[in-house]
Amino acid sequence: MILPLGLTLNFFTDTGFWIGVGVLAGIYALVALGLQLNVGYTGMTNFGAAGFMAVGAYAMAILVLKAGFSFWLSLPVAMLIAIGFGLLVGLPSLRLRADYFAIATIALAETVRIIAQNADSLTGGNQGLFCAEGGAGACYNDAWTNLSTTIEGWLQSLGWTNPESLAPLLIVVWLFVVGATLGLRFIQKSPWGRVLRAIREDEDAAEALGKHTFAYKLQSLAIAAAIGAFAGFFLALDLATVHPLDYEPVARQLLGGARRRGGLLDHPRGDAVHRLRPRRHPDRSTAVLHRRPGADRADGLPAAGDVRQAGGDGPR
Amino acid sequence: MNDADVDAERPNGKPILEAAGVVKRFGGIRAVNGATLDVREGSITALIGPNGAGKTTFFNVVTGFYRPDGGRAAFQGDQILGARPHAIARLGMVRTFQITKALARMPVIDNMTLAAPDQPGERLLNVIAHPRRVRRREAEVREQAIELLEVFDLARVAEDYAGTLSGGQRKLLELARALMTRPRLLLLDEPMAGINPTLGRRLLDHMQRLRADEGVSFLFIEHDMEVVMNHSDRVIVMAEGRVIADGEPHEVRTDQAVIDAYLGSGTVVEDERA
Ligand SMILES: Nc1ncnc2c1ncn2[C@@H]1O[C@H](COP(=O)(O)OP(=O)(O)OP(=O)(O)O)[C@@H](O)[C@H]1O
Ligand SMILES: [Mg+2]
């Protein structure tokens, strides 16, 4: 981790780098919000957040590339699919005790990744999803690229002469983070949120008072899945590819206090290294050739701290 | 002192809870071994028995917390054995726990308001679509909660986290919280344990009042024979998972099977006053 940084320290002063970090921080802040709802508010140790992201991102890309959906229509549909997946995870495993539930969620998220890696015809296998038929046809993010260009135009008219290519995504991601934070705060403060907290404190007590705890836990999962799906969409737009190894359900997602906003942050590869990769390949069909070499991933524990500092979205 | 009340409110004999042949096994132990009992509507019924008699287990089975191994139970005519706890609670049969379950990291007042029935805001759709209705109900519920907390001397700790309460206060909170659900039958597992006598009396008075004003029925597990003999109008005695006696307090006190069951602990035999 130190080595490549030592070679190219100048990226620290590069706005593009920090904007990239900010995008990732936002994406993982979204994941953290979903987890906070599950773990912090409902007391469900859900390690399957990466699975929600993966299902969302893959569903979106597959709908666009293989089923001919428009990008904008694919988003809500993919979100519903992720919610469906969340419920599917919950129905059998929520009956398990907390620790077994945690294991089951890791297993299911891993299952998603393994399926993604192996169902080549649908998911592109280890190459991931990018554009239709080797780059010749449309790419799943074309609609976004257009919008992004429009936003860049607005930024220019606001006086930013040469906006970074990721600046529009940064703005959209953080608008979502703010929206999700406010929305979640609103529902968590409601009587509905009170039931969730009661379940976290003592599920039996909540049942004894007539609360259908199972239904609430499913709702909590469904909302986290919807938020996770959006985190997945954003990651797919950020990386301009949907790749199985971006969705490893690593247990290290739990850093810091579960109830603290921004207390759960991580990055699948985590460090600054992959940021140094060219972001948009002029010729997308060659992207596959210089997809992250193994060294990229041999980073061990990532510097989630980098992401957090950059995001500045919560106390440690 | 309350005998006059008791006579005036003589239960009309219709059972609100009917349990027959209830069985619960844990491995080789038959914790509840064919317990058969009725709780009459409008009664304050005591459930007594030596430690390990299966009283708590019986509660757990009829309130849906344990899966029964046999028997039947009906609440107001509805079969309840095997139903989920929340479904049974919603029918109007609500229990408290011997080992209290205060929701520690929630304020006392939230413990109370949580329990209120008919809060539309417990559905996400209403939270978003009908915020005004939710707020209105919340205000009502809060008022009721404060009133009840006053009865149990908990109003001044309403904003404190339930985890900061003493053992006795938690017991009271749990009872108050159960009352917030507006139950028809309350199953109380040793409600008086750890409560100081003055508050204990207030608690009993409140039970009498609820019974008189709203026709709430009670089935309470209690080891204090003074309380049982003076404040209940029926006593059911369990030993080794079965009901061995059932009758008015004075009948039960002189029942030979009961005296035998209690030999060793000796509580019933000793208690000849009142
Ligand atoms: N979850 C359980 N697993 C195994 N055995 C249990 C369980 N719950 C209760 N028992 C056993 O069942 C028997 C009855 O226990 P129970 O708690 O119902 O007694 P009780 O009448 O409430 O006693 P006490 O007056 O001491 O509260 C005991 O022998 C106990 O060890
Ligand atoms: Mg007991």
Side-chain angles (χ1 to χ4, degrees), chain B residues 56 98 189-190:
Chain B
T56 298
Q98 182 168 4
D189 200 340
E190 303 194 19

Side-chain angles (χ1 to χ4, degrees), chain B residues 63-77:
Chain B
T63 54
F65 284 89
Y66 286 165
R67 208 152 269 293
D69 292 311
R72 278 173 296 112
F75 174 72
Q76 291 181 328

Side-chain angles (χ1 to χ4, degrees), chain B residues 5-6 14 31 65 69-70 81-82 89 91 98 110 124 133 151 156 174 188 198 216 218 241 245 250-251 254 263 268:
Chain B
D5 293 358
V6 172
K14 204 176 76 185
F65 284 89
D69 292 311
L81 225 53
L91 290 175
Q98 182 168 4
D110 284 10
L124 212 41
R133 231 168 75 202
V151 172
R156 65 207 152 74
E174 191 163 286
L188 307 175
T198 321
V216 180
F218 293 87
H250 65 91
E251 297 167 351
T254 51
L263 277 182
V268 167

Side-chain angles (χ1 to χ4, degrees), chain A residues 112-247:
Chain A
V112 171
R113 183 178 65 79
I114 291 165
I115 290 174
Q117 252 172 331
N118 291 289
D120 289 17
S121 60
L122 198 61
T123 63
N126 275 321
Q127 307 232 308
L129 283 171
F130 197 77
C131 300
E133 302 309 312
C139 299
Y140 67 77
N141 57 351
D142 285 341
W144 164 253
T145 312
N146 291 341
L147 178 65
S148 184
T149 313
T150 314
I151 298 177
E152 276 178 40
W154 296 341
L155 291 175
Q156 270 163 348
S157 66
L158 288 174
W160 188 353
T161 42
N162 191 12
E164 294 292 338
S165 61
L166 276 178
L169 187 59
L170 180 79
I171 292 166
V172 171
V173 166
W174 279 96
L175 282 177
F176 260 80
V177 173
V178 171
T181 306
L182 295 178
L184 284 173
R185 191 171 288 177
F186 177 68
I187 60 173
Q188 282 164 349
K189 269 188 354 205
S190 73
W192 179 85
R194 185 169 57 208
V195 176
L196 291 196
R197 274 176 287 140
I199 293 169
R200 173 195 71 201
E201 292 301 302
D202 194 316
E203 200 176 333
D204 284 348
E207 277 278 333
L209 297 171
K211 311 304 173 198
H212 192 345
T213 57
F214 186 69
Y216 282 91
K217 293 196 313 191
L218 278 183
Q219 290 171 42
S220 178
L221 264 186
I223 293 172
I227 296 173
F230 272 89
F233 302 155
F234 290 134
L235 192 63
L237 296 179
D238 178 25
L239 302 177
T241 167
V242 180
H243 188 269
L245 293 184
D246 291 327
Y247 303 95

Side-chain angles (χ1 to χ4, degrees), chain A residues 194 201 207 210-211 216, chain B residues 86 90 105 114 121-122 138:
Chain A
R194 185 169 57 208
E201 292 301 302
E207 277 278 333
K211 311 304 173 198
Y216 282 91
Chain B
H86 67 89
R90 281 191 195 171
R105 285 183 295 168
L114 166 77
E122 288 185 357
E138 196 63 12

Side-chain angles (χ1 to χ4, degrees), chain A residues 74-100:
Chain A
S74 80
L75 297 184
V77 175
M79 185 186 79
L80 288 178
I81 291 172
I83 290 175
F85 171 74
L87 298 180
L88 212 63
V89 171
L91 280 172
S93 58
L94 274 178
R95 301 186 190 277
L96 302 172
R97 281 284 152 196
D99 35 2
Y100 294 105

Side-chain angles (χ1 to χ4, degrees), chain B residues 28-88:
Chain B
I29 315 169
R30 284 169 164 264
V32 177
N33 192 10
T36 299
L37 61 84
D38 289 350
V39 177
R40 292 183 199 158
E41 181 136 35
S43 74
I44 295 184
T45 303
L47 179 60
I48 66 169
N51 293 122
K55 305 180 296 293
T56 298
T57 307
F58 175 80
F59 270 23
N60 282 330
V61 172
V62 294
T63 54
F65 284 89
Y66 286 165
R67 208 152 269 293
D69 292 311
R72 278 173 296 112
F75 174 72
Q76 291 181 328
D78 296 323
Q79 288 301 319
I80 50 169
L81 225 53
R84 303 275 302 141
H86 67 89
I88 295 171

